[in-house]
Amino acid sequence: MHRILSNTKGDRWIWLIVILLSVISLLAVYSSTGTLAYKRGVGVESILMKHLAMVIGGIALMYISHKLDYRYYAGISKIMMIVTIPLLLYTLLFGSHINNASRWINIPVIGLSFQTSDLAKLALITYLARTLSRKQENIKDVKESFLPIMGSVCLVFILIALANLSTALMLFGVSILLLIIGRISIKQIAVVCAAGFILLMGVLFLGPRRHMYATRVSTFLHPEQAKPDKSFQSDHAKIAIASGGIFGKGPGNSTERNYLPESYSDEIYAIIIEEYGLVGGFALIGIYLFLLYRCIKIVTKAPKAFGALLACGLSFSLTIQAFANMAVAVGLGPVTGVPLPFVSMGGTSILFTSVAFGIILSVSRDIEEPKKVVVGEIRTA
């Protein structure tokens, strides 16, 4: 154990944030899975142990990925993109249907399933960071730089959006941010946004889930006109938050966990506020803001463009997802189905989130140890 701790590098504050989020996650999941355990006919402790195994596995993955020099991810990104596109297409056609959406692929033998959009986020962000950093000399060239970048962003966007619009929109926003930082011209960014808007309209008005999206937006904009079954989730999230008060009901004393669907995942922030009050809710917001602050410091100190873009894209992806989840819980947005990073019980999503943390820490480790000169992908990244 001492040897592992001595070999743990990177920003110490980010490691502390991960530990804090892990503890919060274990407490919240244990408190909010009573109904789920009853439906499955198992004890709450059984579900907690499985979640604990995922958290430990995630931290192990984070440790492994932070030990790998981040510049190797430039080469890995090409492989990830080659694998991701067929997987997204396969998910749309043959993926498992959960909550009326085909977002998951079952992994044979081990019996787990994962959302291919989680892999796609890692793949697209690392690929964009690699492409933008390598093409800085001719970044304004339409054929050499703009078309490959636009094609990858729009292709991944449409393949995710057909099954998971909220994730696709967040990833598209992060991609535009990277394009701005990567010095893509405003005119070219406007073209990407226009193409994204056209694809979005196609998904909203022609996509297979258009009726569900329309219902969610209508329920959010006009809750007084919504049918009770359509506003059930948002109504009980508001009840949970209102009943929490300043200091909350205390750990394990939530009542809305028995009514809220996905109380251990999409609406876990509402349960946290109910049990720990506004103090707990603001504390969690502060943790994610501090995470963003530490990541921005890493971005500003990164010696290479690839490292800066990579850390920037991954950190904004994590924090935007966190605030999207919390915004939905407090009624500032329509229901999205986006989990709270490293807090929600999400199975393999925790593992992908952990890899993202690990890559950020790898960039941070390189800042602390500016000594290695490596050939191949590393030299050109």
Side-chain angles (χ1 to χ4, degrees):
M1 179 62 70
H2 176 73
R3 184 177 180 182
I4 293 176
L5 291 176
S6 63
N7 287 326
T8 299
K9 306 297 181 181
D11 191 294
R12 301 295 179 180
W13 285 107
I14 293 182
W15 281 106
L16 179 60
I17 288 169
V18 169
I19 294 171
L20 282 174
L21 291 178
S22 300
V23 173
I24 293 170
S25 177
L26 292 171
L27 291 172
V29 168
Y30 182 67
S31 177
S32 60
T33 50
T35 302
L36 178 65
Y38 176 78
K39 290 179 180 178
R40 293 183 178 180
V42 298
V44 177
E45 292 77 11
S46 174
I47 295 177
L48 179 65
M49 288 300 103
K50 290 182 179 179
H51 180 63
L52 176 60
M54 279 294 178
V55 171
I56 294 174
I59 293 175
L61 271 179
M62 183 164 55
Y63 178 82
I64 294 170
S65 56
H66 108 285
K67 294 295 289 183
L68 180 64
D69 193 300
Y70 77 89
R71 285 164 286 192
Y72 279 112
Y73 292 105
I76 295 173
S77 68
K78 295 185 294 183
I79 301 172
M80 290 173 67
M81 283 297 290
I82 292 172
V83 172
T84 294
I85 301 302
L87 277 179
L88 287 173
L89 188 58
Y90 177 86
T91 305
L92 281 175
L93 299 176
F94 308 107
S96 300
H97 286 259
I98 302 176
N99 295 332
N100 298 317
S102 180
R103 304 177 184 177
W104 288 262
I105 288 181
N106 290 319
I107 304 174
V109 183
I110 62 176
L112 289 177
S113 60
F114 77 98
Q115 289 195 58
T116 47
S117 59
D118 290 326
L119 174 62
K121 285 188 287 186
L122 278 175
L124 183 61
I125 290 172
T126 53
Y127 178 78
L128 285 179
R130 172 186 180 272
T131 305
L132 288 169
S133 62
R134 289 191 169 195
K135 295 184 179 293
Q136 282 301 300
E137 293 183 0
N138 57 347
I139 196 65
K140 307 298 182 182
D141 189 285
V142 173
K143 183 178 179 181
E144 292 295 323
S145 302
F146 175 65
L147 290 181
I149 291 171
M150 177 181 175
S152 60
V153 171
C154 291
L155 180 59
V156 172
F157 172 77
I158 191 64
L159 288 176
I160 296 178
L162 289 171
N164 192 348
L165 182 59
S166 54
T167 297
L169 288 173
M170 285 186 284
L171 183 56
F172 188 81
V174 173
S175 300
I176 295 299
L177 177 66
L178 284 178
L179 297 188
I180 294 172
I181 297 173
R183 297 176 54 244
I184 293 289
S185 72
I186 298 301
K187 290 183 179 180
Q188 292 176 343
I189 292 174
V191 172
V192 177
C193 291
F197 180 77
I198 294 171
L199 293 174
L200 174 62
M201 291 300 102
V203 171
L204 290 176
F205 294 105
L206 303 175
R209 309 185 75 207
R210 58 187 181 278
H211 299 299
M212 188 201 70
Y213 294 141
T215 300
R216 285 185 176 181
V217 173
S218 176
T219 300
F220 171 68
L221 294 176
H222 307 287
E224 71 285 351
Q225 301 176 8
K227 295 180 180 180
D229 61 319
K230 301 300 182 183
S231 61
F232 183 86
Q233 183 169 332
S234 57
D235 289 343
H236 280 277
K238 293 173 184 176
I239 293 172
I241 292 170
S243 61
I246 302 296
F247 300 104
K249 297 178 178 178
N253 293 324
S254 168
T255 53
E256 288 304 312
R257 63 187 175 187
N258 299 317
Y259 303 99
L260 264 174
E262 308 294 330
S263 61
Y264 45 86
S265 180
D266 302 347
E267 299 293 346
I268 200 167
Y269 185 63
I271 301 300
I272 290 173
I273 294 180
E274 184 183 9
E275 294 190 346
Y276 300 94
L278 291 177
V279 172
F282 280 118
L284 190 56
I285 291 175
I287 290 173
Y288 282 110
L289 286 175
F290 187 60
L291 168 65
L292 181 61
Y293 166 73
R294 296 306 304 179
C295 291
I296 289 175
K297 289 200 70 173
I298 294 171
V299 171
T300 57
K301 293 181 179 180
K304 299 289 185 179
F306 175 65
L309 290 167
L310 188 58
C312 179
L314 292 175
S315 60
F316 272 97
S317 175
L318 291 171
T319 50
I320 288 174
Q321 179 178 329
F323 284 105
N325 174 280
M326 293 187 283
V328 170
V330 300
L332 294 179
V335 176
T336 60
V338 175
L340 191 58
F342 223 84
V343 174
S344 295
M345 189 183 79
T348 52
S349 66
I350 291 179
L351 304 183
F352 285 105
T353 301
S354 300
V355 172
F357 271 116
I359 296 174
I360 294 171
L361 286 167
S362 178
V363 178
S364 173
R365 191 192 69 171
D366 184 70
I367 296 171
E368 296 176 356
E369 304 173 354
K371 59 180 183 297
K372 295 182 180 178
V373 178
V374 190
V375 298
E377 291 291 347
I378 295 183
R379 179 177 58 80
T380 57

